[in-house]
Amino acid sequence: MIWVEEVESLPRPGLESIQLKRLQLQVQRVYETVAPYRSKMDAAGVKPADIRSLADLKYLPYNTKDDLRDNYPFGLFTVPMEEVIRVHASSGTTGQPTVVGYTEADIKLWASVMSRALAMAGVTRGDMVHNAYGYGLFTGGLGAHYGIEALGATVIPVSGGNSKRQITIMRDFGSSVLLSTPSYALNLAEAMADVGVSPEELKLRVGIHGAEPWSESMREEVERKLGIKAVDIYGLSEIIGPGVAMECLHTDRGMHILEDHFLPEIVDPDTLEPLPYGEVGELVFTTLTKEAFPLIRYRTKDISRLIAEPCACGRTLVRMEKVMGRTDDMLIIRGVNVFPSQLEHVLVGIEGVEPHYQLEVNREGNLDTMSVLVEVSEHIFSDEIRVLEGLTKRIQSDVKDILGVTCKVKLVEPRSITRSEGKAQRVIDNRKL
Amino acid sequence: MRVEQIAVFLENKSGRLAEITRILAENEINIRALSVADTADFGILRLIVDKVDAAKESLQAGGFTVGKTDVIAVEVPDRTGGLASVLDTANDAQLNVEYMYAFVNKSGENAVLIFRFDRMDQAISVLQEKGFVLLSGEEICAL
Ligand SMILES: [Zn+2]
């Protein structure tokens, strides 16, 4: 079994009919077993029987992290605790952690989706998989672990920390696949240089990185420093953990969502209206098959877009673009939702422009104005005015095309953009609203 | 016969030009010629100096974006028609001037015209054929 071909390459109508059946059962079940879901649905005037098509999803109320906190720790579980065989919890950077639970079937489901995700990255039986995600309450380590075993590859449960020892293990055991956060992958690359092990001494072929935001330039750095292909994996503990979506080896654009289990939507984070494929907005998931802790229309706060175009690998599963940011970072400029990370995408797309930029928003009269400050590096500098003016026009028109907002572009000297603790301050909003 | 010129990116804010001349003076670099081209938002400072690499490094260390380009230095008698004769030649050869600036040497007899053409190699051969005096970097610094 390389991948579950029947499901992953189903014609869309076939997949959608599976999704609808599962959705109807799931909605029925949460309505019957979880009081907070029932009262929310009653308040919204929607009954399980109202879900007749996937489009009817829009009638169901959203859920957010607040709902999880309000029902801390186990209030949204649908089964008695005797049936829950594992719990995980998110660290909860602000306030209470969020707790998730799994039945035996959920653990099997998780192993199955995770093994399918690994297969998308070309991992097979015979691979030595170096799992450097943290083991513990965090879903990364154990979630990946069970998936690797289900796939039949060999798991090295090394967890995080002690980079030097990790490198010795990688070299001696012949690790061929690395699972870690992207920043830990860079950390390992540095440690390799410290202990004097070169990438050629390792058998590493592919790195699977997630659990934190990372940019295309970071991907390039990981690939170069470790001599591997680095792919993106997406997951969040509320939905199941790692294994919600995964980049295949045939595209650099987007991760296939395991849609037969996780139903995605993109919604406008401001109006909460569902958006069509291709539009940028907040990613919302409904778990279709999870038992202990299902979620209906869970707002992830992650900004992405769904790509419906067929993928070269043959999978018909929709792709989600690399997460571009968080809804908390969203700016509304002249009624248009703008995410600073979109601007970074535009700038990275213009050759030679390092993403040292700042977005400044002002209000002149009743009108919002957006200025983009770009530091002039030696790559883009020219001794001719014409060339630099051409660059500002190009940035301006690309921003207009992609963000839908007219901006003023100002070229500035290097290091003139405010940095705090080495990190550039990306947004300055001078509007007094 | 090309001359190395350094170009520095300038934001239009006060004190930047003074900062550059201070850095060059501290590193004992002499400016032979200088021109500023600017727009409403930014400017480009172009400099001919005696120590090109040292100038580039010290300005980079001072946090400036610095580029190095080749230009052509033409020496003409400092009288009416000096510039026109070069421009006529360039025009006849369908060369485009990207930018130019000038300075007068110490004796005051000759003017040195600094040109950046779109096709530099062709410009050099055309000007040499027509008998213009092209100066090297060392010759400019020796003036
Ligand atoms: Zn694919």
Side-chain angles (χ1 to χ4, degrees):
Chain A
M1 182 211 66
I2 296 299
W3 42 292
V4 188
E5 196 156 346
E6 312 84 71
V7 178
E8 297 194 357
S9 61
L10 271 180
R12 295 295 303 181
L15 177 63
E16 282 161 16
S17 78
I18 293 175
Q19 288 176 320
L20 178 59
K21 280 195 198 96
R22 290 179 170 176
L23 175 67
Q24 288 168 328
L25 283 173
Q26 187 72 288
V27 172
Q28 183 73 44
R29 216 163 63 80
V30 297
Y31 187 81
E32 284 167 4
T33 54
V34 189
Y37 272 115
R38 190 164 48 246
S39 51
K40 262 185 139 173
M41 283 174 61
D42 286 344
V46 54
K47 295 275 177 282
D50 295 333
I51 307 304
R52 295 190 196 90
S53 72
L54 286 179
D56 293 338
L57 193 59
K58 65 172 181 282
Y59 301 120
L60 294 169
Y62 289 104
N63 288 285
T64 65
K65 204 150 197 142
D66 291 340
D67 295 288
L68 272 57
R69 291 209 185 96
D70 293 347
N71 296 286
Y72 175 85
F74 308 135
L76 291 178
F77 288 13
T78 62
V79 296
M81 284 312 283
E82 299 88 81
E83 287 180 42
V84 174
I85 64 163
R86 197 196 298 170
V87 290
H88 279 283
S90 76
S91 49
T93 41
T94 49
Q96 248 157 16
T98 48
V99 182
V100 296
Y102 302 80
T103 64
E104 192 178 346
D106 288 337
I107 293 292
K108 284 204 178 107
L109 162 69
W110 193 8
S112 153
V113 289
M114 186 62 208
S115 70
R116 285 166 59 189
L118 291 162
M120 289 187 198
V123 183
T124 61
R125 185 176 279 270
D127 266 314
M128 286 294 270
V129 185
H130 192 94
N131 185 17
Y133 282 117
Y135 282 64
L137 278 177
F138 168 60
T139 49
L142 282 166
H145 182 103
Y146 278 63
I148 299 161
E149 288 186 347
L151 186 67
T154 310
V155 59
I156 310 172
V158 65
S159 194
N162 199 344
S163 308
K164 286 183 184 169
R165 190 182 65 136
Q166 296 226 6
I167 286 156
T168 313
I169 289 173
M170 276 201 268
R171 187 190 55 200
D172 297 350
F173 293 12
S175 308
S176 54
V177 180
L178 169 65
L179 265 67
S180 74
T181 60
S183 55
Y184 193 65
L186 286 176
N187 195 311
L188 285 174
E190 261 173 46
M192 273 168 61
D194 289 345
V195 296
V197 171
S198 73
E200 294 81 54
E201 291 174 67
L202 304 180
K203 291 204 178 116
L204 275 189
R205 181 180 82 240
V206 60
I208 297 170
H209 308 296
E212 66 185 21
W214 56 313
S215 61
E216 281 305 320
S217 58
M218 204 162 163
R219 186 210 295 264
E220 189 271 329
E221 196 179 350
V222 171
E223 292 189 333
R224 180 167 41 82
K225 289 191 171 160
L226 287 174
I228 57 173
K229 167 111 182 110
V231 293
D232 206 356
I233 185 167
Y234 179 83
L236 65 173
S237 66
E238 298 94 312
I239 299 306
I240 201 158
V244 175
M246 176 77 190
E247 218 168 41
C248 71
L249 292 177
H250 291 76
T251 175
D252 289 335
R253 231 190 112 220
M255 297 167 268
H256 288 288
I257 295 173
L258 293 150
E259 273 185 287
D260 44 329
H261 297 289
F262 314 111
L263 184 61
E265 292 173 88
I266 291 285
V267 305
D268 184 313
D270 199 32
T271 65
L272 298 183
E273 286 301 314
L275 297 172
Y277 284 153
E279 298 223 357
V280 173
E282 180 175 359
L283 192 55
V284 171
F285 277 108
T286 297
T287 65
L288 295 175
T289 48
K290 240 169 69 175
E291 287 181 350
F293 181 70
L295 274 173
I296 307 290
R297 301 196 91 195
Y298 182 68
R299 294 180 58 190
T300 63
K301 290 193 166 195
D302 283 334
I303 299 302
S304 181
R305 88 172 91 210
L306 295 177
I307 305 164
E309 285 78 48
C311 181
C313 71
R315 291 181 179 84
T316 51
L317 301 174
V318 76
R319 282 171 284 162
M320 59 174 273
E321 205 159 280
K322 182 185 266 301
V323 172
M324 302 173 194
R326 303 276 295 164
T327 50
D328 306 329
D329 304 330
M330 184 177 81
L331 293 162
I332 303 173
I333 298 170
R334 267 172 269 154
V336 180
N337 298 341
V338 170
F339 305 99
S341 49
Q342 284 179 291
L343 185 62
E344 182 161 339
H345 282 259
V346 171
L347 295 177
V348 168
I350 295 172
E351 206 188 340
V353 180
E354 287 171 69
H356 287 305
Y357 67 90
Q358 192 168 60
L359 204 159
E360 198 179 282
V361 192
N362 287 295
R363 179 158 289 180
E364 288 165 19
N366 285 317
L367 198 65
D368 298 334
T369 59
M370 179 171 110
S371 304
V372 177
L373 275 57
V374 178
E375 286 187 4
V376 174
S377 68
E378 272 160 30
H379 293 292
I380 56 172
F381 180 51
S382 161
D383 62 329
E384 292 173 31
I385 296 273
R386 187 172 52 85
V387 175
L388 291 181
E389 285 187 333
L391 178 73
T392 61
K393 287 203 186 84
R394 162 115 195 261
I395 295 172
Q396 215 164 18
S397 82
D398 284 7
V399 167
K400 173 79 189 161
D401 282 354
I402 294 170
L403 278 73
V405 179
T406 307
C407 71
K408 186 178 183 318
V409 177
K410 191 171 186 300
L411 300 179
V412 297
E413 287 173 18
R415 286 184 282 268
S416 55
I417 285 170
T418 335
R419 283 163 172 76
S420 59
E421 289 164 10
K423 272 193 88 177
Q425 195 182 337
R426 293 300 183 208
V427 179
I428 300 213
D429 195 342
N430 292 322
R431 293 174 294 184
K432 302 277 178 290
L433 299 177
Chain B
M1 189 74 77
R2 289 162 179 248
V3 174
E4 282 188 315
Q5 165 197 267
I6 62 171
V8 188
F9 179 80
L10 285 179
E11 263 177 71
N12 283 355
K13 54 187 185 192
S14 61
R16 301 309 282 156
L17 200 54
E19 173 71 7
I20 288 172
T21 50
R22 188 188 60 76
I23 291 173
L24 294 178
E26 272 174 12
N27 289 278
E28 296 177 343
I29 292 157
N30 287 316
I31 302 170
R32 299 302 308 175
L34 167 157
S35 102
V36 181
D38 63 357
T39 70
D41 293 315
F42 65 88
I44 297 167
L45 172 70
R46 305 181 185 119
L47 295 162
I48 307 278
V49 295
D50 55 352
K51 286 171 272 183
V52 176
D53 291 330
K56 185 167 185 244
E57 280 159 28
S58 57
L59 290 173
Q60 279 170 331
F64 288 95
T65 299
V66 188
K68 206 158 80 167
T69 8
D70 287 348
V71 290
I72 298 172
V74 189
E75 191 176 37
V76 292
D78 187 20
R79 58 167 188 265
T80 328
L83 171 61
S85 62
V86 181
L87 291 178
D88 286 344
T89 305
N91 206 25
D92 292 345
Q94 289 174 319
L95 294 165
N96 291 312
V97 178
E98 302 287 5
Y99 55 80
M100 71 141 307
Y101 52 102
F103 65 101
V104 177
N105 71 6
K106 279 183 194 140
S107 70
E109 284 167 17
N110 290 332
V112 178
L113 309 175
I114 307 287
F115 285 96
R116 172 81 192 172
F117 291 103
D118 54 350
R119 286 166 294 150
M120 291 287 283
D121 289 328
Q122 204 189 340
I124 291 169
S125 53
V126 167
L127 291 170
Q128 280 174 333
E129 269 168 38
K130 292 281 176 182
F132 286 100
V133 179
L134 304 191
L135 301 181
S136 68
E138 296 81 57
E139 285 169 320
I140 290 180
C141 295
L143 286 179

